[in-house]
Amino acid sequence: MTDVLVIGGGVIGLATAIALSQKGANVTIVERELCGRGATWAAAGMLAPEAEKLEGDLLSFGIRSRDMYPQWIANLMRLSGQDCGYWCCGMLAPVLSESDRQAIAKHPQYISLEESRQRQSGLGESILGALWLPEDGQVNNRKLATALLGAARSLSIKILEGTTVYQIVRDSHRVTHLDTSAGKLQSDRYVLATGAWTRSLLPLPIKPIKGQMLSVFDRDRKLQRVIYAPNCYIVPRQDGTIVIGATVEDVGFDQGNNAAGIAQLLNRAIAVYPAIANMPITETWWGFRPHAPNEIPILGSSDYENLILATGHYRNGILFAPITAKLIAELIIDGITDSIYLQ
């Protein structure tokens, strides 16, 4: 029997399983589809606690996790032998209205239109100035997912893909087992990391928020900063791909792209970086973010003594992965709680 059974093989489940394994636990992951797909595959990979305008304790939580990234990525690359596309490229968060410009003009990271254009050429006429956030950056989320899976396999973590969990069977105090498409699965401890699908297994206040996205190809590779505008973000990869996102739609699990969503994203992106108008579209896709109340992830203990929660990361699953994995592993293995977000 395994020490810890992680339900969910997205970035949070994989990262947590790796952290647990590196602390000596025998870990199994159960995932209903393929590990690293779902919201992890659909993301833009931004590491943007400041650009996202997180506040208070959540901002501190995000900055802690962002600061863990260099060492965390180095560990994953050592285990997997794969590059993760980690790039501390900095972000421009442009302002598009005079009222917004006046509101942040005294912000210590505010820069003028002229300075913004020095940081990144080719900005649109709609931009009046920007916040320059040099410590915010990105990781290539799809390369990261592949590296996480490779790292997990290198640690001999058991991975059950294509395995649906029908029910978390529990008595008044403990989880006794999981009923799954592969039969009954048992463990000493369980970690619930099922993202937007959490409510199918446990009555937690998490719902899916759909995001449509697309990518274009920049042959000239002149875009070298993430542009985090008020109503869209533009994320250049080092291979010339530019990721553009994302709609925010409370439509349940309604799948697919539509013309209105993609047109909205393109119009907004072209307004802040006009060169996109002439770039070929290379892909469109969508995903479902796990929204929790106040956009605060649900981490730590549950009503059942051997079930730990790691879900509800909403727009910041990629950003929060290192700190979530560290805290959950410390909670399970060492009994340590050092975060306001661990219940």
Side-chain angles (χ1 to χ4, degrees):
M1 188 167 73
T2 191
D3 297 328
V4 186
L5 205 160
V6 178
I7 311 165
V11 65
I12 299 298
L14 285 165
T16 301
I18 289 165
L20 286 162
S21 178
Q22 291 195 294
K23 278 184 166 288
N26 185 318
V27 185
T28 297
I29 297 171
V30 56
E31 164 56 44
R32 63 193 189 93
E33 295 182 349
L34 295 174
C35 285
R37 298 301 169 124
T40 301
W41 200 255
M46 290 184 295
L47 310 174
E50 295 179 275
E52 282 273 4
K53 295 186 172 67
L54 303 183
E55 296 181 340
D57 292 323
L58 195 60
L59 174 61
S60 300
F61 190 74
I63 289 174
R64 276 182 68 190
S65 199
R66 183 191 67 190
D67 291 349
M68 291 171 65
Y69 245 86
Q71 188 173 352
W72 188 66
I73 290 291
N75 181 52
L76 289 179
M77 290 176 65
R78 180 180 58 80
L79 290 170
S80 68
Q82 294 171 306
D83 175 53
C84 300
Y86 173 60
W87 184 15
C88 191
C89 56
M91 291 195 185
L92 285 170
V95 290
L96 308 180
S97 71
E98 182 57 29
S99 61
D100 285 346
R101 193 194 69 79
Q102 289 180 6
I104 69 162
K106 294 183 180 178
H107 191 290
Q109 291 166 295
Y110 175 79
I111 59 174
S112 68
L113 174 59
E114 291 72 22
E115 290 174 288
S116 300
R117 289 182 169 154
Q118 287 171 8
R119 297 284 181 188
Q120 176 60 59
S121 62
L123 298 176
E125 296 296 324
S126 62
I127 292 175
L128 304 178
L131 293 183
W132 167 239
L133 306 168
E135 295 182 50
D136 279 359
Q138 62 164 295
V139 65
N140 185 319
N141 51 294
R142 296 183 180 181
K143 287 185 175 183
L144 175 64
T146 303
L148 283 162
L149 190 56
R153 288 184 169 138
S154 78
L155 293 167
S156 300
I157 293 169
K158 187 176 182 182
I159 298 169
L160 302 175
E161 292 183 310
T163 302
T164 301
V165 177
Y166 299 129
Q167 187 179 6
I168 299 173
V169 182
R170 50 207 190 264
D171 59 25
S172 58
H173 301 294
R174 293 176 61 81
V175 173
T176 59
H177 64 276
L178 305 180
D179 281 337
T180 80
S181 57
K184 182 190 290 189
L185 298 177
Q186 283 186 295
S187 179
D188 293 334
R189 300 282 192 98
Y190 301 82
V191 176
L192 187 67
T194 44
W197 286 266
T198 295
R199 286 188 75 165
S200 66
L201 294 174
L202 215 62
L204 292 171
I206 290 174
K207 66 178 181 178
I209 298 293
K210 180 180 174 181
Q212 297 187 55
M213 301 177 68
L214 75 148
S215 61
V216 296
F217 185 69
D218 178 10
R219 293 184 186 89
D220 298 329
R221 302 185 192 182
K222 290 183 177 178
L223 185 61
Q224 294 291 304
R225 315 290 190 191
V226 173
I227 302 176
Y228 198 109
N231 50 21
C232 76
Y233 50 76
I234 305 168
V235 184
R237 302 287 196 229
Q238 288 167 312
D239 67 357
T241 299
I242 296 178
V243 175
I244 300 169
T247 62
V248 179
E249 303 172 55
D250 190 356
V251 293
F253 287 107
D254 180 33
Q255 298 190 19
N257 291 109
N258 59 47
I262 296 302
Q264 180 187 85
L265 292 173
L266 281 169
N267 288 334
R268 290 172 174 176
I270 290 166
V272 294
Y273 193 68
I276 286 170
N278 296 314
M279 295 179 190
I281 295 172
T282 50
E283 187 183 356
T284 61
W285 67 95
W286 71 95
F288 299 104
R289 314 171 185 90
H291 181 278
N294 301 314
E295 302 180 13
I296 294 173
I298 299 174
L299 304 178
S301 58
S302 71
D303 293 336
Y304 305 93
E305 60 187 41
N306 62 340
L307 176 63
I308 304 299
L309 307 174
T311 188
H313 292 75
Y314 192 41
R315 297 164 64 98
N316 291 298
I318 303 288
L319 169 64
F320 291 157
I323 197 166
T324 297
K326 176 180 184 288
L327 294 175
I328 298 299
E330 288 178 348
L331 177 65
I332 291 174
I333 304 300
D334 306 318
I336 296 172
T337 58
D338 82 335
S339 169
I340 188 171
Y341 292 116
L342 280 179
Q343 299 170 349

